Amino acid sequence: MKISDATSLAKIFDQTDTLVTVVLSGNLIDDDLLRMLMTGLIKNNSITHLDVSHNKITNHGARLLSKLLGENSVITTLNLSDNQIHSEGGRYFARGLRENDSLLHLNLRLNRLTDEGCNLLLEGLRDNVSLVNLNVGSNGAGSQSVQTLLAILRDPEHNLKTLDVSGNDLTSDHFEQMRLCMANNKTLTSLDIRSNPGYADARRAVEEIEKIVHSNEYQFKSL
């Protein structure tokens, strides 16, 4: 994407009240280009689906995008997978999530949040009960993140239905803790925990977790 393209799109975003879905995946968008796009996005009240995956967005861009998640947000789907967002970006999105009640789907797969950034993000999610789909796969999530995630899964007020934590640093002990935590969970209907270091060594715990998730899915479809 060129500077002129970003400028033109920003004007369109500012003026339209009918555009709902924006997909800008794989356009080499960096923080400077995103800043130009944001001049229009921040004024728009119709766009609900924003896909800026497979770009070059870093923490600075995450800070800009988090402003779209304020209390008057209309964004329901935000896809930021495969960018260059580090731990501080998790803090920015956590702030947005605490104020937000519109976002349903958040994809941050294949970034560089680390365990610290994932934990910060999940801490923000503890105050958000509207999000139903979260993908933080391949971000280096570990012990800190797991403990906060378990608190969310225990909380009956949360409505998280789809969760992807594949490709992280979860151990067999983490899966055992998750098994115990999931015993009373009635909302999670899809869970991807593959490609973690402890996955192969925790087959019994993994099988129990999968049974619970499948049971929830069956109950949900029966409603």
Side-chain angles (χ1 to χ4, degrees):
M1 180 178 292
K2 299 177 182 178
I3 294 175
S4 57
D5 298 328
T7 302
S8 297
L9 284 171
K11 291 179 180 178
I12 293 171
F13 298 154
D14 182 15
Q15 296 171 4
T16 184
D17 59 3
T18 57
L19 187 62
V20 174
T21 299
V22 173
V23 179
L24 297 172
S25 178
N27 274 285
L28 300 177
I29 297 172
D30 58 15
D31 296 336
D32 290 333
L33 289 171
L34 181 62
R35 185 175 292 107
M36 293 181 185
L37 293 171
M38 282 294 298
T39 60
L41 286 170
I42 201 70
K43 299 175 183 177
N44 181 280
N45 291 313
S46 66
I47 296 171
T48 59
H49 182 122
L50 178 61
D51 184 345
V52 285
S53 60
H54 309 293
N55 282 297
K56 300 168 67 176
I57 297 167
T58 73
N59 289 341
H60 300 296
R63 181 175 59 83
L64 294 171
L65 286 167
S66 68
K67 296 179 181 179
L68 294 178
L69 303 179
E71 58 183 353
N72 296 318
S73 174
V74 297
I75 298 288
T76 61
T77 300
L78 180 58
N79 188 347
L80 274 157
S81 61
D82 190 20
N83 275 283
Q84 300 171 15
I85 300 170
H86 291 248
S87 59
E88 193 63 20
R91 187 188 306 276
Y92 295 135
F93 285 121
R95 291 174 185 168
L97 285 172
R98 287 189 177 97
E99 301 176 359
N100 183 276
D101 61 5
S102 67
L103 191 67
L104 302 176
H105 310 278
L106 176 60
N107 189 343
L108 286 164
R109 184 175 183 82
L110 285 170
N111 276 279
R112 304 167 190 178
L113 293 176
T114 72
D115 190 26
E116 179 185 7
C118 288
N119 184 54
L120 289 168
L121 175 71
L122 291 167
E123 286 287 355
L125 184 57
R126 292 185 69 171
D127 298 320
N128 179 301
V129 296
S130 61
L131 195 75
V132 297
N133 186 323
L134 176 64
N135 190 332
V136 287
S138 301
N139 268 289
S143 296
Q144 294 183 68
S145 306
V146 167
Q147 296 310 311
T148 308
L149 177 60
L150 294 180
I152 292 171
L153 295 176
R154 288 191 199 101
D155 188 348
E157 295 296 319
H158 277 85
N159 295 305
L160 199 61
K161 291 181 172 59
T162 303
L163 175 65
D164 189 333
V165 289
S166 62
N168 281 297
D169 296 329
L170 277 62
T171 66
S172 56
D173 287 342
H174 294 149
F175 288 124
E176 179 60 26
Q177 294 173 43
M178 189 177 293
R179 180 188 71 82
L180 296 172
C181 167
M182 286 290 294
N184 295 316
N185 182 282
K186 303 299 181 185
T187 60
L188 202 63
T189 58
S190 177
L191 175 64
D192 192 342
I193 51 180
R194 296 170 297 173
S195 301
N196 278 284
Y199 184 81
D201 295 331
R203 285 310 307 168
R204 175 175 282 181
V206 168
E207 288 173 1
E208 287 297 317
I209 292 169
E210 290 175 344
K211 285 180 182 178
I212 293 168
V213 172
H214 290 157
S215 176
N216 289 347
E217 182 182 19
Y218 176 77
Q219 294 294 330
F220 179 74
K221 289 181 177 179
S222 299
L223 294 178

